[in-house]
Amino acid sequence: MLKLPGNLTDETFLARYWQKKPLFMPQAVDALRPAITRNELAWLATLDDVESRLVFTDRADDRTRYRVETGPFDVEFLQALPKRDWSLLVHDVEKHLPALRRLFKLVPFIPDWRIDDLMISFAAPGGSVGPHRDNYDVFLCQGIGVREWRTSTARVAKDHAASDDLALLHEFEGDESHVTRQGDVLYLPPGVAHWGTAKRACMTYSIGMRAPSYYSDPDLQLAEVRPGYLSPAALMRAGKQASQLGRSVTELKEWLQPLAPGDDEITALLDRPAVLHKMRLHSMARLAFDDHRLYLNGIGRPLDDRARASIAALCARRRLDGPLAAALGERGLRWLLAQGAFDIPEKE
Ligand code: SIN
Ligand code: CO
């Protein structure tokens, strides 16, 4: 978990800062592990199913403009990038490199279904995506290098001339400025203007949140946070849309869908307990439940009390074993497998 500054606890962080105001947390992380190298990040940006962007800062005359190119990129192109003024951003890294999901353990006080993705950027000196606002909360964890963040809770107007593709704001001084080094973390609630510029080549790991537009939870309580669990309080917050919340928070991005096995493959797997009992949840799968229903990859289904205990255990451990497979039963497992819940090992 993040080391919160002063005598903040996870409860007081939620009460005072979550969805409310920014918090700079110096040395909140001992070592960002597992980490990724800039070459590994660049390699991800060459792949078809990975969402990546390069943002160039063009400084001409007295005006700065930001130019975006979207991936995948050719290796040669990435190797020939200039020395300064660009930033490479790769989204959903934990879905492509499942080991990196461990970084979500830095924020155990946030429900896992509120987390959208781990986005990692590498910026050359001077690199930035420009001043902007995001609609969602984010924990910006500094890896190697040095980045300066300016933030402003004041109103900063849009600057349509700054970029053709990015919804940027006018450049601003900021009411706060933080120079972040490895291990420092900046938390930003939705809507706060921010502008990060690499002082030295740097990597930033962003744990980004998501929620449907009708949902917000500034009153989030630690007691309701359990893996995969949509608490009665969460459903209350969704109000009239409560019946949609589970499907909505487990919906997958179109280009990030696990490949589900067919009927014959499922039957064969159920006959191979040695393989079945080692299966892990697929890194792209989104699984959640409330007191009455189960939600997987945007699909809902009723859940009785016995099955709920098994699904809660699966959400917490993210892997099967013999007792859990037995408790889920053949019908339950078949359904989960058919929706792409599990990472199916290659046949030996
Ligand atoms: C980054 O450049 O790594 C973060 C982008 C952002 O400000 O959202
Ligand atoms: Co941002």
Side-chain angles (χ1 to χ4, degrees):
M1 184 177 121
L2 293 177
K3 271 191 285 173
L4 300 168
N7 43 23
L8 268 190
T9 62
D10 32 12
E11 267 147 330
T12 50
F13 170 80
L14 293 181
R16 291 184 208 156
Y17 295 95
W18 172 246
Q19 296 238 287
K20 298 170 202 76
K21 53 183 184 189
L23 178 65
F24 175 58
M25 298 176 251
Q27 294 304 293
V29 184
D30 271 337
L32 267 178
R33 291 231 179 78
I36 180 172
T37 65
R38 65 182 275 189
N39 282 340
E40 285 165 329
L41 194 71
W43 164 75
L44 281 175
T46 66
L47 305 179
D48 280 342
D49 59 343
V50 175
E51 189 187 353
S52 60
R53 288 181 298 160
L54 257 166
V55 180
F56 295 93
T57 308
D58 295 330
R59 297 173 209 279
D61 305 326
D62 53 354
R63 244 220 95 82
T64 305
R65 276 183 57 84
Y66 298 87
R67 186 167 44 88
V68 193
E69 295 202 22
T70 50
F73 301 100
D74 288 337
V75 179
E76 296 75 27
F77 177 75
L78 293 175
Q79 281 169 343
L81 284 169
K83 284 213 161 34
R84 293 189 54 88
D85 294 345
W86 54 267
S87 184
L88 173 68
L89 303 104
V90 179
H91 297 265
D92 296 289
V93 174
E94 87 292 354
K95 308 197 177 60
H96 305 291
L97 302 176
L100 279 125
R101 194 188 159 85
R102 240 185 57 207
L103 294 178
F104 293 167
K105 295 202 169 138
L106 291 171
V107 292
F109 42 84
I110 308 297
D112 54 0
W113 52 264
R114 285 286 266 120
I115 302 180
D116 181 24
D117 77 328
L118 175 69
M119 194 268 281
I120 305 184
S121 67
F122 175 82
S128 171
V129 301
H132 67 281
R133 261 191 293 264
D134 296 312
N135 291 330
Y136 300 107
D137 313 74
V138 63
F139 292 86
L140 298 154
C141 310
Q142 190 58 45
I144 54 151
V146 182
R147 187 188 282 276
E148 183 190 11
W149 286 102
R150 276 177 249 180
T151 62
S152 178
T153 45
R155 289 184 65 81
V156 183
K158 293 215 167 105
D159 181 357
H160 299 285
S163 171
D164 295 330
D165 318 278
L166 295 160
L168 293 185
L169 305 173
H170 281 284
E171 297 193 343
F172 61 88
E173 281 306 318
D175 30 65
E176 293 212 27
S177 146
H178 301 283
V179 174
T180 54
R181 298 190 165 77
Q182 187 149 23
D184 294 344
V185 175
L186 179 63
Y187 162 72
L188 298 177
V192 173
H194 55 288
W195 182 14
T197 308
K199 293 285 147 195
R200 291 202 215 129
C202 75
M203 293 186 82
T204 305
Y205 295 61
S206 306
I207 303 176
M209 302 297 148
R210 76 178 207 181
S213 54
Y214 54 78
Y215 190 87
S216 67
D217 55 359
D219 58 334
L220 179 64
Q221 305 289 316
L222 195 57
E224 64 181 276
V225 180
R226 278 192 276 145
Y229 186 50
L230 295 159
S231 67
L235 297 173
M236 287 277 284
R237 290 182 196 109
K240 285 202 189 96
Q241 270 88 18
S243 65
Q244 286 167 42
L245 184 66
R247 273 178 292 149
S248 170
V249 300
T250 57
E251 239 158 45
L252 303 178
K253 295 170 193 167
E254 216 177 299
W255 61 97
L256 290 173
Q257 310 262 348
L259 211 56
D263 281 349
D264 292 349
E265 205 183 334
I266 292 175
T267 303
L269 274 165
L270 292 170
D271 273 345
R272 298 176 71 204
V275 177
L276 189 74
H277 297 170
K278 282 199 192 126
M279 281 194 317
R280 291 173 177 278
L281 281 186
H282 196 287
S283 60
M284 292 177 188
R286 291 182 73 93
L287 178 62
F289 65 102
D290 61 25
D291 287 336
H292 305 288
R293 294 182 78 77
L294 154 71
Y295 306 95
L296 173 60
N297 303 345
I299 298 172
R301 112 180 208 142
L303 192 62
D304 62 35
D305 289 351
R306 248 190 53 216
R308 191 168 65 243
S310 319
I311 292 298
L314 184 59
C315 286
R317 294 175 20 210
R318 300 189 64 83
R319 59 181 301 163
L320 280 180
D321 61 12
L324 186 50
L328 286 163
E330 181 177 326
R331 270 187 55 202
L333 279 173
R334 265 190 190 279
W335 187 81
L336 291 166
L337 282 157
Q339 312 304 323
F342 295 103
D343 186 21
I344 313 290
E346 307 260 339
K347 282 210 188 78
E348 304 92 59

mmCIF file of all heavy atoms in Angstrom, residues 127-147:
data_model
loop_
_atom_site.group_PDB
_atom_site.id
_atom_site.type_symbol
_atom_site.label_atom_id
_atom_site.label_comp_id
_atom_site.label_asym_id
_atom_site.label_seq_id
_atom_site.Cartn_x
_atom_site.Cartn_y
_atom_site.Cartn_z
ATOM 1 N N GLY A 127 9.417 16.535 -22.393
ATOM 2 C CA GLY A 127 8.204 15.852 -22.858
ATOM 3 C C GLY A 127 7.020 16.123 -21.942
ATOM 4 O O GLY A 127 7.171 16.230 -20.724
ATOM 5 N N SER A 128 5.847 16.228 -22.555
ATOM 6 C CA SER A 128 4.625 16.548 -21.813
ATOM 7 C C SER A 128 3.428 16.223 -22.697
ATOM 8 O O SER A 128 3.562 16.199 -23.918
ATOM 9 C CB SER A 128 4.624 18.040 -21.485
ATOM 10 O OG SER A 128 3.374 18.430 -20.955
ATOM 11 N N VAL A 129 2.278 15.990 -22.089
ATOM 12 C CA VAL A 129 1.081 15.870 -22.925
ATOM 13 C C VAL A 129 0.293 17.174 -22.929
ATOM 14 O O VAL A 129 -0.800 17.239 -23.478
ATOM 15 C CB VAL A 129 0.162 14.687 -22.512
ATOM 16 C CG1 VAL A 129 0.909 13.379 -22.603
ATOM 17 C CG2 VAL A 129 -0.394 14.866 -21.104
ATOM 18 N N GLY A 130 0.879 18.209 -22.306
ATOM 19 C CA GLY A 130 0.214 19.509 -22.293
ATOM 20 C C GLY A 130 -0.712 19.657 -21.098
ATOM 21 O O GLY A 130 -1.072 18.676 -20.451
ATOM 22 N N PRO A 131 -1.088 20.908 -20.803
ATOM 23 C CA PRO A 131 -1.992 21.153 -19.674
ATOM 24 C C PRO A 131 -3.404 20.655 -20.007
ATOM 25 O O PRO A 131 -3.916 20.959 -21.083
ATOM 26 C CB PRO A 131 -1.970 22.675 -19.521
ATOM 27 C CG PRO A 131 -1.409 23.211 -20.799
ATOM 28 C CD PRO A 131 -0.667 22.143 -21.500
ATOM 29 N N HIS A 132 -3.994 19.893 -19.114
ATOM 30 C CA HIS A 132 -5.332 19.336 -19.398
ATOM 31 C C HIS A 132 -6.035 18.954 -18.102
ATOM 32 O O HIS A 132 -5.458 19.035 -17.023
ATOM 33 C CB HIS A 132 -5.220 18.115 -20.317
ATOM 34 C CG HIS A 132 -4.534 16.955 -19.664
ATOM 35 N ND1 HIS A 132 -3.169 16.859 -19.523
ATOM 36 C CD2 HIS A 132 -5.022 15.845 -19.062
ATOM 37 C CE1 HIS A 132 -2.855 15.745 -18.893
ATOM 38 N NE2 HIS A 132 -3.967 15.112 -18.596
ATOM 39 N N ARG A 133 -7.276 18.515 -18.277
ATOM 40 C CA ARG A 133 -8.071 17.983 -17.170
ATOM 41 C C ARG A 133 -8.522 16.597 -17.554
ATOM 42 O O ARG A 133 -8.788 16.333 -18.715
ATOM 43 C CB ARG A 133 -9.340 18.832 -17.012
ATOM 44 C CG ARG A 133 -9.284 19.869 -15.933
ATOM 45 C CD ARG A 133 -10.664 20.459 -15.686
ATOM 46 N NE ARG A 133 -11.142 21.227 -16.832
ATOM 47 C CZ ARG A 133 -11.022 22.550 -16.933
ATOM 48 N NH1 ARG A 133 -10.458 23.253 -15.977
ATOM 49 N NH2 ARG A 133 -11.485 23.177 -17.983
ATOM 50 N N ASP A 134 -8.623 15.681 -16.580
ATOM 51 C CA ASP A 134 -9.192 14.366 -16.850
ATOM 52 C C ASP A 134 -10.512 14.242 -16.102
ATOM 53 O O ASP A 134 -10.738 14.920 -15.111
ATOM 54 C CB ASP A 134 -8.232 13.255 -16.405
ATOM 55 C CG ASP A 134 -6.935 13.278 -17.205
ATOM 56 O OD1 ASP A 134 -6.998 13.349 -18.440
ATOM 57 O OD2 ASP A 134 -5.847 13.231 -16.583
ATOM 58 N N ASN A 135 -11.352 13.324 -16.591
ATOM 59 C CA ASN A 135 -12.666 13.126 -15.946
ATOM 60 C C ASN A 135 -12.611 12.168 -14.768
ATOM 61 O O ASN A 135 -13.608 11.970 -14.094
ATOM 62 C CB ASN A 135 -13.666 12.564 -16.959
ATOM 63 C CG ASN A 135 -14.014 13.599 -17.999
ATOM 64 O OD1 ASN A 135 -14.001 14.792 -17.703
ATOM 65 N ND2 ASN A 135 -14.290 13.151 -19.211
ATOM 66 N N TYR A 136 -11.452 11.540 -14.578
ATOM 67 C CA TYR A 136 -11.377 10.497 -13.551
ATOM 68 C C TYR A 136 -10.220 10.731 -12.596
ATOM 69 O O TYR A 136 -9.235 11.384 -12.946
ATOM 70 C CB TYR A 136 -11.216 9.125 -14.219
ATOM 71 C CG TYR A 136 -12.366 8.811 -15.130
ATOM 72 C CD1 TYR A 136 -12.223 8.848 -16.510
ATOM 73 C CD2 TYR A 136 -13.609 8.539 -14.596
ATOM 74 C CE1 TYR A 136 -13.300 8.600 -17.343
ATOM 75 C CE2 TYR A 136 -14.696 8.284 -15.404
ATOM 76 C CZ TYR A 136 -14.546 8.317 -16.780
ATOM 77 O OH TYR A 136 -15.621 8.080 -17.583
ATOM 78 N N ASP A 137 -10.338 10.107 -11.426
ATOM 79 C CA ASP A 137 -9.245 10.169 -10.447
ATOM 80 C C ASP A 137 -8.036 9.408 -10.989
ATOM 81 O O ASP A 137 -8.188 8.418 -11.713
ATOM 82 C CB ASP A 137 -9.638 9.454 -9.150
ATOM 83 C CG ASP A 137 -11.017 9.838 -8.665
ATOM 84 O OD1 ASP A 137 -12.013 9.383 -9.280
ATOM 85 O OD2 ASP A 137 -11.104 10.574 -7.676
ATOM 86 N N VAL A 138 -6.866 9.861 -10.556
ATOM 87 C CA VAL A 138 -5.649 9.155 -10.970
ATOM 88 C C VAL A 138 -4.584 9.258 -9.882
ATOM 89 O O VAL A 138 -4.506 10.270 -9.165
ATOM 90 C CB VAL A 138 -5.136 9.706 -12.333
ATOM 91 C CG1 VAL A 138 -4.732 11.171 -12.223
ATOM 92 C CG2 VAL A 138 -3.995 8.882 -12.887
ATOM 93 N N PHE A 139 -3.838 8.174 -9.710
ATOM 94 C CA PHE A 139 -2.656 8.179 -8.851
ATOM 95 C C PHE A 139 -1.453 8.154 -9.784
ATOM 96 O O PHE A 139 -1.227 7.157 -10.481
ATOM 97 C CB PHE A 139 -2.635 6.953 -7.939
ATOM 98 C CG PHE A 139 -3.720 6.960 -6.892
ATOM 99 C CD1 PHE A 139 -4.993 6.475 -7.176
ATOM 100 C CD2 PHE A 139 -3.473 7.466 -5.614
ATOM 101 C CE1 PHE A 139 -5.999 6.494 -6.209
ATOM 102 C CE2 PHE A 139 -4.471 7.480 -4.642
ATOM 103 C CZ PHE A 139 -5.734 6.997 -4.941
ATOM 104 N N LEU A 140 -0.705 9.256 -9.831
ATOM 105 C CA LEU A 140 0.450 9.370 -10.727
ATOM 106 C C LEU A 140 1.703 8.986 -9.939
ATOM 107 O O LEU A 140 2.133 9.734 -9.053
ATOM 108 C CB LEU A 140 0.568 10.802 -11.235
ATOM 109 C CG LEU A 140 -0.625 11.306 -12.068
ATOM 110 C CD1 LEU A 140 -0.745 12.816 -11.997
ATOM 111 C CD2 LEU A 140 -0.488 10.846 -13.513
ATOM 112 N N CYS A 141 2.242 7.810 -10.228
ATOM 113 C CA CYS A 141 3.380 7.294 -9.455
ATOM 114 C C CYS A 141 4.648 7.496 -10.282
ATOM 115 O O CYS A 141 4.753 7.005 -11.406
ATOM 116 C CB CYS A 141 3.205 5.798 -9.172
ATOM 117 S SG CYS A 141 1.591 5.364 -8.484
ATOM 118 N N GLN A 142 5.585 8.206 -9.702
ATOM 119 C CA GLN A 142 6.808 8.504 -10.446
ATOM 120 C C GLN A 142 7.776 7.325 -10.416
ATOM 121 O O GLN A 142 8.103 6.818 -9.344
ATOM 122 C CB GLN A 142 7.466 9.769 -9.871
ATOM 123 C CG GLN A 142 8.595 10.308 -10.717
ATOM 124 C CD GLN A 142 8.133 10.639 -12.133
ATOM 125 O OE1 GLN A 142 7.101 11.246 -12.336
ATOM 126 N NE2 GLN A 142 8.885 10.179 -13.122
ATOM 127 N N GLY A 143 8.182 6.876 -11.597
ATOM 128 C CA GLY A 143 9.240 5.876 -11.712
ATOM 129 C C GLY A 143 10.571 6.594 -11.838
ATOM 130 O O GLY A 143 10.784 7.639 -11.205
ATOM 131 N N ILE A 144 11.449 6.094 -12.701
ATOM 132 C CA ILE A 144 12.751 6.729 -12.864
ATOM 133 C C ILE A 144 12.595 8.177 -13.346
ATOM 134 O O ILE A 144 11.584 8.531 -13.932
ATOM 135 C CB ILE A 144 13.623 5.967 -13.905
ATOM 136 C CG1 ILE A 144 12.848 5.827 -15.215
ATOM 137 C CG2 ILE A 144 14.092 4.638 -13.366
ATOM 138 C CD1 ILE A 144 13.738 5.757 -16.428
ATOM 139 N N GLY A 145 13.632 8.973 -13.109
ATOM 140 C CA GLY A 145 13.660 10.318 -13.676
ATOM 141 C C GLY A 145 12.956 11.352 -12.811
ATOM 142 O O GLY A 145 12.575 11.090 -11.671
ATOM 143 N N VAL A 146 12.793 12.525 -13.393
ATOM 144 C CA VAL A 146 12.233 13.659 -12.657
ATOM 145 C C VAL A 146 11.173 14.349 -13.513
ATOM 146 O O VAL A 146 11.403 14.648 -14.679
ATOM 147 C CB VAL A 146 13.338 14.698 -12.314
ATOM 148 C CG1 VAL A 146 12.756 15.857 -11.495
ATOM 149 C CG2 VAL A 146 14.485 14.042 -11.546
ATOM 150 N N ARG A 147 10.024 14.588 -12.923
ATOM 151 C CA ARG A 147 8.965 15.302 -13.635
ATOM 152 C C ARG A 147 8.452 16.445 -12.762
ATOM 153 O O ARG A 147 8.354 16.310 -11.546
ATOM 154 C CB ARG A 147 7.806 14.362 -13.963
ATOM 155 C CG ARG A 147 6.736 14.988 -14.847
ATOM 156 C CD ARG A 147 5.528 14.082 -14.972
ATOM 157 N NE ARG A 147 5.680 12.973 -15.894
ATOM 158 C CZ ARG A 147 5.473 13.058 -17.210
ATOM 159 N NH1 ARG A 147 5.159 14.211 -17.770
ATOM 160 N NH2 ARG A 147 5.604 11.986 -17.967
#
